[in-house]
Structures are given as structure tokens and as C-alpha cells.
Amino acid sequence: MADRFYICTAIDYTNSAPHIGHAYEKILADVLARYHRLKGDEVFYLTGVDQHGQKVQQSAEKQGVAPEQFVSEVTQKFVALWEKLDVRYDGWAATIEPRHKEGVQALLQRLFDEGQLYKATEGGYYSVRQEQFLTDKERGPDGEFGPEWGEVEFREEENYYFKLAQHKEWLLSLLDSRTDLVVPDFRQLELRNAVEKIAGDLCISRPKSRLSWGIELPFDRDYVTYVWFDALLNYITFAPGPYSSAAGTNLGEFHRWWPAIIVIGKDILIPAHGIYWMIMLHAVGFTDADMPRLLVHGWWNMSGAKISKSLGNVVDPLALADKYGNEALRYYVMSDIATGRDSDFSEERLIARYNGDLANSLGNLLNRALNMAHRYRGGVVRQAGGDSPLRAQAESAVAAYQRHMDGAQVHAALAAVIDFATSCNTYVEMTAPWKLAKDPERAETLDHVLYALAEALRVIAILIVPVLPKAAQEVLTQLNWKHDATLAAARWGGITDGHALGKPSPVFPRIEKSEATV
């Protein structure tokens, strides 16, 4: 029986253009969505853009344009990049859309009516970058606020507050009972340590006198909603059968898909998704079983430093895709970083990965196998001589691939596939079909070898579908295999006796190192 997966990514903040970190996150979610479809599961993949907040308003003012125009222009850059990188999403969340505004205001009204929100005057230190008030818990050992908070200034104003602290013990209990809530597990431990430090409530409004670009509070039009209290709700306002209990929506379709798997960067686990989001859901009646699972990925760094606009080391994924092709970039970012860990970006590494794994190993295998099949058997392969040793290796590769993909460890799944391709190339050298072809008495052995190579390529092509959908289809076309690519079809023996293969053509042409810019 097929399962159902609702996969979301953090929506991208439209205060700046996309960079390699954005691309990695969306490709990762796209690969997981394609994998589950390969298994026969139902999938709804949601991504989008976060368009409100003080930083957006300030950036628009600097450019002398309205916030609506500013976010529209930045949003188009994200949309163009996802199209370029073949990221196929089912739903698009844009926080300026009416359906989102209605959903946010309905839940805010519900929280207000139930006494979860209150108004108070407070003075304190405010992080302009994170758009939130800070407490002494955020100070470092030296008593100062760290660089992660950016510019910090003292402010005193009247605002609305969400009773965050009263849910602290519930969240600790949840983290103890659902040990797989955050992946990888060491991030869940980090989250639990942060929850232990919760000491106050969350300011969820900003006076219109200093910030007009946001969603108005339904119970006080002099205020707009704090950007995180707005943006996080996209996962339910844009879900299939959007959630809005205060609006009386029929939730049948929503519950068919929920809870979600939310793919986020480690920098927005604490406090946004791990604390604010979980408590927001709990406050409006979501059960412990309804809490979404958080898949937390690491950062792409440059020489050990986080890639960021302020450091001037931003990597443009669109330029890389134009230069090397979108699938070369997809393969690199999926194969060169362990999900949950950090990795250093290197254009030279991209070339080495592509050439070593795809051009030299898989591409070479495809070219040799098809050329030999046409040279010695007119392109027709026949089942002969019993099981091939490649069969057991293929079955082992498929099992390892599925285990790693189920755990969102795409790099390990790809390693299992490339290891199998390398074994196939070794098998070519060991069996030496060019020698078998010279001995008529070994005709059956030659048929046995050529069939095994074609079948191995078919299995490999199916396994790379989530990461390299176009290349996988090209391989299957050259094998003249016209059936649907599913994980169930990756069983050995899919090519029938007497099957005619197509003609070979390069699928993974080598990239010359002279093309690198680093």
C-alpha cells in the first residue's frame, strides 16, 4: 500500500537573491519527493517565498520602490532558478497571497480569543537582523550579543505577546517522547538544550508606526504580525486542504497529508521551527502525533566560513547551472554533503565528482556495454548461462540505496549506486568480452556478460532518477527500455530475452578542468 508524504522546505526570504544554500535545500527536497514517487507513494511538495518583514521594507525603501515590487522581482529570481534546476514542486507558498493572510489572521484571532495573546509594554534589546527582542539568555560569556544577531539596539514599545513560556514543559516532554522529531538526532539534543532556556514570552507584533509591511492583527489594526509568526504558518495555509479551524474549513483533505516533513537549514531550527512553530501548533490544538518532522541540513561553507552576502563569498547556483548543466550541479550538491552536516563548496570538487563518478564510471560503462552489444550481437541481448554475479551486487546496491534514501542520506545512496557501477566496470575487465567474441565456443558466455551489463545499467538508471531525472531517462532510452521507472522495476531481470538495445551516445561528457574558475 502506498504511503503519503507532505514535504515542505523553508520558504525563502525575499530580501536577497538566491544562493547555493537555497539551491541545495530545494534540490534535497525535490530528490526526496522524486524518490517517494519512485516508490509509488503519493507526494505533495511545497516551497515558496517569505515576503514580509522589516528587512524587506528597508531594502525596498533603499531602492525607492514599493515593497510589492521589490518582493515580486526577487521572487522571480527564485522561480527562475527552480525551473533551471528542474525542481518540481506541487504547491507554491507566497505570504502576500490572500489565502495566507486569511489563515494567519484566523489563527491569530483564535489565539487572542483563547487568552494566548496579551498586550504589554516592554523595553529591551532588539536584533534588527532577526527582527526580535533579545533576552540575557542570548548574551555570550562576555555579556555581549554575538555576531549572529547583527545590529542590536535598545527599544521600548507596546506590543502583543504570545504565551510561549507556559508551553515549555510540554515541548520538553514531546522531545523526550518523540526522539525522531528532528533529524539528525544530535540536532534534537541541541533543540532540547535550547528549550530548557526558555524564560519569557514571544513578541508577535510590530507597531505600524515603524513597520507597515506585514499582515495586520485582526484584533488591532495598529499592528502587523511578527514575520516569523506569519511565515511559519505557510506550511498549513498552503497545504492540500489548507488548515484554518477558526474559519470553519473542512479539514478532511488536510489530515490526509499532515503531518509534514519540513526541510530546513540548521540556522532556523532554533528558535523558529523547533520552538516557535511547535508551540504555535500545540497552542491551536495539534496533538503530539500531529507535530511535523524536521529534517535539518547543514551549511555550504567556503574555506570553512559560511557562505553569505556579507562575507562576499556567495556562490551563484544559476551561473553554475549555466556553466556545467543543471544535473551536474544537482549531482554535486547531493553527493558531496552528508545530510545534516556542513561541507565546503568547491568548483573543482564539482568537476572532480562529475568526471569521476558520472563521466568515467557510469558514462564509460554505458558506452562500453552498448558498443560491445552492437559490435558483437547487433545490439540484441540474450539471457544465457544462469545468474550473473552482478545480480547479487545489484540487489545489494538497491537495498543499500533504499535504506539510505529512507533515511534522507542521499550522498550514501548515490555512493552505493556508483560503487555498483564501478564493480560493473571491473566485471568488464575480468570477463573481457572482446576476447570472448573471438572464441565461438564461448558464445553463450558472451551473451551472459552482455545481458548482465545491460540489466545492470537499467537498474542503475532507475536508481538515479530522483537526482538525475533527465540523464536517467537518456540511459533508459539508449537501453530501449520503455516501461515506467519505478523502484519495484529495479529488480533484476527486467530486460527480456532477445531485447534490442538502442545506439549509444554520450550522456555524461567530461568537463575539462580548464573550465573551472577557482
Side-chain angles (χ1 to χ4, degrees):
M1 182 177 178
D3 290 324
R4 189 175 293 110
F5 289 86
Y6 176 33
I7 299 174
C8 311
T9 65
I11 53 177
D12 297 306
Y13 198 26
T14 52
N15 189 49
S16 59
H19 56 68
I20 193 67
H22 296 121
Y24 167 66
E25 180 174 281
K26 300 307 176 289
I27 293 171
L28 173 60
D30 179 69
V31 167
L32 295 177
R34 289 177 185 268
Y35 165 67
H36 282 291
R37 292 191 183 102
L38 193 71
K39 290 178 68 177
D41 297 328
E42 289 185 73
V43 178
F44 189 95
Y45 173 19
L46 176 74
T47 190
V49 281
D50 171 13
Q51 298 164 303
H52 290 129
Q54 184 173 347
K55 287 181 285 186
V56 168
Q57 180 173 293
Q58 291 172 340
S59 295
E61 289 171 351
K62 287 180 181 179
Q63 292 190 16
V65 299
E68 293 90 342
Q69 180 181 339
F70 178 81
V71 298
S72 176
E73 291 173 355
V74 177
T75 295
Q76 286 308 308
K77 295 178 181 179
F78 283 103
V79 172
L81 180 59
W82 307 151
E83 183 176 353
K84 181 74 173 181
L85 296 180
D86 203 12
V87 172
R88 302 292 180 89
Y89 45 85
D90 302 289
W92 179 258
T95 57
I96 62 173
E97 288 191 20
R99 67 182 281 186
H100 181 68
K101 176 182 177 180
E102 292 168 6
V104 171
Q105 290 183 327
L107 268 76
L108 282 168
Q109 187 67 56
R110 173 175 170 177
L111 291 173
F112 183 76
D113 292 342
E114 295 177 355
Q116 293 275 358
L117 306 178
Y118 64 92
K119 196 174 187 180
T121 300
E122 184 173 318
Y125 290 93
Y126 184 82
S127 166
V128 177
R129 174 186 293 175
Q130 297 298 335
E131 303 188 30
Q132 71 180 78
F133 283 97
L134 307 178
T135 69
D136 287 340
K137 296 288 185 180
E138 277 82 45
R139 294 182 187 273
D142 60 357
E144 301 296 324
F145 295 107
E148 68 272 19
W149 299 109
E151 179 187 354
V152 176
E153 58 188 35
F154 187 84
R155 291 182 178 177
E156 185 175 73
E157 61 186 24
E158 192 174 36
N159 273 303
Y160 286 89
Y161 290 80
F162 171 50
K163 294 180 179 179
L164 191 79
Q166 73 176 22
H167 300 278
K168 173 181 175 178
E169 294 305 318
W170 164 80
L171 185 50
L172 288 172
S173 175
L174 175 71
L175 292 170
D176 289 340
S177 63
R178 283 194 55 186
T179 55
D180 64 341
L181 194 70
V182 183
V183 178
D185 55 4
F186 68 87
R187 296 293 181 201
Q188 180 144 335
L189 179 60
E190 291 176 359
L191 174 58
R192 197 186 192 288
N193 291 337
V195 175
E196 290 278 11
K197 298 177 182 178
I198 294 177
D201 292 333
L202 175 65
C203 178
I204 59 93
S205 69
R206 301 293 183 264
K208 276 189 178 180
S209 58
R210 69 174 174 88
L211 176 61
S212 59
W213 182 239
I215 296 176
E216 289 182 341
L217 298 187
F219 44 82
D220 194 332
R221 299 295 179 177
D222 291 331
Y223 292 85
V224 297
T225 312
Y226 170 43
V227 66
W228 274 116
F229 217 81
D230 155 10
L232 290 167
L233 290 171
N234 90 90
Y235 305 122
I236 58 177
T237 59
F238 290 95
Y243 178 91
S244 178
S245 61
T249 301
N250 184 331
L251 298 180
E253 178 65 8
F254 176 82
H255 286 298
R256 285 184 68 242
W257 292 94
W258 193 265
I261 298 170
I262 304 178
V263 183
I264 60 171
K266 65 179 185 179
D267 53 330
I268 56 174
L269 170 63
I270 301 168
H273 286 79
I275 297 177
Y276 300 164
W277 180 225
M278 295 296 178
I279 291 178
M280 287 162 64
L281 290 173
H282 176 64
V284 295
F286 281 64
T287 67
D288 289 7
D290 286 334
M291 292 300 144
R293 196 178 188 201
L294 304 178
L295 174 58
V296 184
H297 63 78
W299 285 338
W300 281 98
N301 298 324
M302 186 77 78
S303 301
K306 181 188 176 184
I307 291 176
S308 71
K309 186 177 180 181
S310 61
L311 294 175
N313 61 356
V314 172
V315 177
D316 183 357
L318 190 59
L320 286 170
D322 284 339
K323 186 173 186 179
Y324 299 113
N326 67 339
E327 296 213 321
L329 180 57
R330 284 175 66 99
Y331 184 80
Y332 170 65
V333 298
M334 288 296 97
S335 65
D336 213 51
I337 185 171
T339 307
R341 302 289 179 177
D342 293 347
S343 186
D344 255 24
F345 177 85
S346 163
E347 199 166 336
E348 289 183 340
R349 181 73 174 160
L350 183 157
I351 294 170
R353 273 283 189 185
Y354 177 90
N355 284 343
D357 294 355
L358 301 182
N360 295 350
S361 185
L362 181 51
N364 184 48
L365 176 65
L366 176 66
N367 185 64
R368 296 173 82 186
L370 290 185
N371 272 316
M372 289 187 295
H374 281 278
R375 184 178 304 122
Y376 306 135
R377 289 293 184 264
V380 176
V381 291
R382 300 189 179 281
Q383 296 176 335
D387 278 343
S388 167
L390 293 185
R391 175 172 186 162
Q393 294 181 48
E395 291 172 348
S396 177
V398 171
Y401 169 90
Q402 185 166 353
R403 182 174 67 254
H404 292 310
M405 289 294 282
D406 285 341
Q409 295 299 318
V410 182
H411 71 291
L414 288 174
V417 175
I418 297 303
D419 284 348
F420 178 47
T422 300
S423 296
C424 291
N425 277 312
T426 301
Y427 178 75
V428 172
E429 298 300 323
M430 292 176 61
T431 57
W434 50 90
K435 293 181 180 179
L436 296 175
K438 296 177 181 179
D439 186 352
E441 294 185 359
R442 307 199 67 186
E444 185 175 319
T445 302
L446 177 59
D447 284 333
H448 176 81
V449 169
L450 295 177
Y451 175 87
L453 293 174
E455 182 61 8
L457 281 163
R458 187 189 67 86
V459 171
I460 290 170
I462 291 172
L463 299 184
I464 64 172
V465 163
V467 179
L468 304 170
K470 292 178 182 176
Q473 187 54 56
E474 287 185 44
V475 174
L476 292 173
T477 296
Q478 290 186 31
L479 293 173
N480 196 28
W481 197 73
K482 300 178 181 179
H483 306 283
D484 291 338
T486 65
L487 194 58
R491 296 191 184 95
W492 192 266
I495 292 179
T496 57
D497 184 49
H499 179 79
L501 302 173
K503 293 292 182 68
S505 63
V507 177
F508 304 106
R510 282 183 58 82
I511 300 172
E512 297 304 321
K513 288 189 176 182
S514 60
E515 297 178 34
T517 60
V518 294

